[in-house]
Amino acid sequence: MSLRQLPFQDPGVPDVRSGFRFLLWLEKRQLRGQLTAAAWGTLLMASIALFPAAVGLAVQAVVDHSGRRLALSGGLMLALGGLSALGDTMLHRTAVTNWITAAARVQQLLSRKTVELGSVLTRQVAAGEIVTVGAGDVEKIGWFVEAFARFTSAFVATIGIAVALAFYQPELGLMVAAAIPVLALAVLPLLPAATKRADVQREKAGKATELASDTVAGLRVLRGIGGEELFLDRYRKASQEVRTAAVHSARMWALISAVQVVLPGLLLVGVAWYGAVLALDGRISVGELVTVYGTVAFLMFPLRHFEEIAMAWSFSRPSAKRAARVLALVRGVEPDTAPSLPSAPSAPSAPSAGVSPSGDLYDPETGLLAPAGRLTAVVCGDPDAAGRLADRLGGHSPDRVAGQSSVLLGGTALDELPLAAARAAVLVQDKDPVLLSGTLHELLDVPSSGNVSATDALTAAQCGDVLQALAQASVDDSGDPMRTRITERGRSLSGGQRQRLALARSLVADPEALVLDEPTSAVDSHTEARIARGLKEIRADRTTVVFTSSPLLLDRCDLVVFIADGSVAATGTHHELLRGDQRYRAVVTRETEEPAGVAAVVTGGVAGAVPAAVSAEGPSVVPSGAAENTRIEESA
């Protein structure tokens, strides 16, 4: 194939039952390229292997004083030189194409799986392992696929040389034919130990990569607590362990290389000595001796490929196993193991094919029902449980097993929808959303309904100060904040600014159902009150679920659902639940004891033990000062 065809329209469905089956699948997908490379490799090795025969003819022609045969042998050497140059060029071209094609295919498969799993990927596989698979393992897998074709040509050439020598000069040829299996298989006893050492090296390298990745991601926090030197010492130790393991592994591969040099060298010495004896006895000519000697010397070249394929297999086998493990991950229960799904209360029937589902968002496992077109808040005392529930509402929960029902949107199970349709219908914003590097315009250029403009989304998310800061940081004279670049993960912005930009991005997408997990945890109460009002206005008549315990957000929601012990414990408005449910009040106000009475001042607050305002409508839990500011904003 041509590299112009990359990337693939469809990289295929890999066989991920094991690392070996995955490598075999890659070989089959590139069978044409492999056969082409093997053919060019065979031409190269055949032309080089025949060169000693041409030299032998030339030597014998000189001995026999035959100018005609000398000219013929010279022409033969020129032809073989041209063929070897052609074979070498085309072999390199096809081999590199095979390597890049295999690596690109694996990269596309990993990218597709990453998009499919989304945020739950790192909950199933460590981030360091994902980095290792996407960087180093892809290269090793591509190396094996590329090296296998050259090994095939080397194997064919070695067998062909042994058979040809046996017919050309039986006495020396049989000696070489008997020695070739020994040369080829001599390293096999050393391979298990070399493979084991290489596995140890890769394991330690993966741990060091994971440690480095985690350290870089949490560098700001580490600096805040003074933990930089501690983690630096840990990485130094891990790095030294990798170095020691690499040296340990290199010694074994050096021994294998030495065996591959010594044994052919001994064969060459033996052939030269025995051939000289035969030539002195007159049983072979000088030209035949030169031909056999040169051909045996050439054998060191294809035999090197035996060592290379052993190394490539040793390094690629665990890499393919890791890649297959990542590619085997699924976002939900397989269709044939999924149980029958109950219908949501009062849910409409499933839409016909090709129509995006809409309606109530219902989780059968907890009993959570988010009515269509309304702003629903979910209060959960356990933040981890809230995160898992948010993932489940998006249809990609990592911990759901057979026997559990899928989340329903308008009566349609999200797991039964194609991935693209499920993602378009329900968008889940994590509590720690990631901002990719690029301009603000690129950040907000996401698939959307087109009903919400970037300006309206930024306004609703209260990003005015963010736009002002980006305008000041603009590198051109335009001062356009939309053209200002945002660094990786938004590290040039504060936590609250990153959170608001992520919220604006979610609002621009304008999905049928939007799930927000603690979208205002890093902003101040004044901004939070304005975000609550903007969110309710911009998501009017759209299904929105907010996981929060902030009274400022809860007070704006149409419905509040309290989750306790894995199921719905109470539903109602914020004020109703404050008056009627002690556990809800304890979670929202951080209280540890029952209040003396409804009319008493509720303590606890959002940030911890701050007074809250109590209105005639009931205890409205608002941090001190926030209620007054909210009233001022509303009057304004």
Side-chain angles (χ1 to χ4, degrees), residues 46 49-50 53 156-174 176-177 180 291-292 295 299:
L50 291 174
V156 172
T158 302
I159 299 300
I161 289 172
V163 174
L165 286 178
F167 282 97
Y168 177 72
Q169 180 48 249
E171 294 183 80
L172 290 176
L174 292 176
V176 174
I180 284 178
T291 299
V292 174
T295 304
L299 276 177

Side-chain angles (χ1 to χ4, degrees), residues 181-233:
V182 177
L183 298 179
L185 303 178
V187 299
L188 287 183
L190 302 177
L191 286 180
T195 302
K196 183 178 180 180
R197 295 186 181 188
D199 289 344
V200 172
Q201 176 192 351
R202 281 188 293 273
E203 180 182 357
K204 293 184 178 297
K207 291 181 179 179
T209 302
E210 182 176 352
L211 179 60
S213 176
D214 293 343
T215 302
V216 171
L219 187 58
R220 179 174 295 183
V221 177
L222 291 177
R223 286 176 174 173
I225 63 177
E228 298 163 274
E229 289 300 324
L230 174 62
F231 275 79
L232 184 60
D233 290 340

Side-chain angles (χ1 to χ4, degrees), residues 48 69 79 91 103 144 153 174 190 218 251 271 297 336 338 353 365 369 374 390 441 451 473 598 607:
I48 297 177
R69 281 186 292 158
L91 173 61
F144 175 79
S153 61
L174 292 176
L190 302 177
R251 288 173 180 170
V271 167
D336 56 348
E365 185 175 339
L369 175 64
R374 301 182 67 185
H441 174 76
N451 296 327
V598 174

Side-chain angles (χ1 to χ4, degrees), residues 38 52 88 143 176 264 396 402 423 456 493 521 621:
D88 191 20
W143 176 30
V176 174
H396 40 81
R423 291 282 171 83
D456 292 340
L493 305 172
S521 59
V621 185

